[in-house]
Amino acid sequence: MTPGARARELLHGARVAPSILSADFGRLREQVDEVLAAGARLIHVDVMDGHFVPPITVGPLIVAALADSVHDAGAMIEAHLMIERPERHVGEFVKAGADSITFHAEATPHIAYAANLIRESGAGVGLAINPATPVGALAEVAGAIDVALCMTVNPGWGGQAFIAHSLEKLPRVRAIVGDEVAVEVDGGIDAQTAPSCRAAGASLFVAGSAIFGADDPGEAYRAIARSIDAE
Ligand code: DX5
Ligand code: ZN
């Protein structure tokens, strides 16, 4: 299956996306296998460059290390790029096995160009906005994206508290992008916050510490998936 086809299929409907940011990197593949076995079909990889956000995390090498086992399970990798000038790195992430690429509206003056580049590379297209970025940043490219990611914490770290104001913002995101685009939330998502985000219009739920910080990541995944009535 091509990355785009896999992404189009899996980005529809309500799903929980475990973020490996909070995983034990010493046994990363094992941790990812645990959530795949529990039913996860979206694996979220947080890429940080030390510029757009202070921390530096991982890049295409980690995507490539996980790609085969994720794809063999019928799942996909979404690369969440918290990096400046994301358009310069699209090719290497697609080559590494990313099925969709989400970049930040604040990270490039060339949003439409970057979205087209991702689309042409065959991957799904995601556009993310920070908590203080107005939803209008999504308006002109709503027809060119598959996912609108509404950050529900300030990007850069796992384990932060959910920003409650997001619940007022999400209906405005949904109204701007329409029903064909997935609305994703990322940051502070657990079995308590996910249902209210769903009620406010979100369909994809990224969860890092609530899953990989738990004793049993598979069970923690299932608890959040149940809370939003996931596919
Ligand atoms: C933060 C990342 C998130 C992070 C979320 O900038 O984009 O994906 O893993 O972590 P939690 O779920 O712990 O808030
Ligand atoms: Zn993320």
Side-chain angles (χ1 to χ4, degrees), residues 114-206:
N116 289 340
L117 201 61
I118 298 170
R119 175 77 67 217
E120 281 164 15
S121 76
V125 184
L127 182 61
I129 55 171
N130 283 339
T133 300
V135 298
L138 300 160
E140 306 303 330
V141 286
I145 61 176
D146 302 297
V147 178
L149 196 176
C150 181
M151 290 302 302
T152 46
V153 298
N154 287 298
W157 301 271
Q160 302 178 76
F162 177 79
I163 296 174
H165 174 73
S166 313
L167 296 176
E168 291 166 43
K169 191 177 184 184
L170 283 166
R172 287 184 277 120
V173 172
R174 175 55 78 193
I176 271 197
V177 300
D179 288 337
E180 292 306 304
V181 174
V183 172
E184 187 168 42
V185 285
D186 185 0
I189 300 299
D190 56 23
Q192 276 69 52
T193 52
S196 19
C197 290
R198 176 143 206 207
S203 55
L204 300 175
F205 304 81
V206 179

Side-chain angles (χ1 to χ4, degrees), residues 19 21 44-48 78 80 82 149 151 186-187 206:
S19 158
L21 187 62
H44 184 92
V45 178
D46 288 302
V47 179
M48 307 188 192
E78 54 173 15
H80 176 194
M82 285 159 276
L149 196 176
M151 290 302 302
D186 185 0
V206 179

Side-chain angles (χ1 to χ4, degrees), residues 20 25 28 45-49 56-66 77 79-81 83 89 92-93 96-98:
I20 63 164
F25 273 72
L28 184 56
V45 178
D46 288 302
V47 179
M48 307 188 192
D49 66 353
I56 296 174
T57 57
V58 300
L61 282 176
I62 290 291
V63 171
L66 296 175
I77 294 179
H80 176 194
L81 305 188
I83 65 175
H89 301 274
E92 50 186 324
F93 279 97

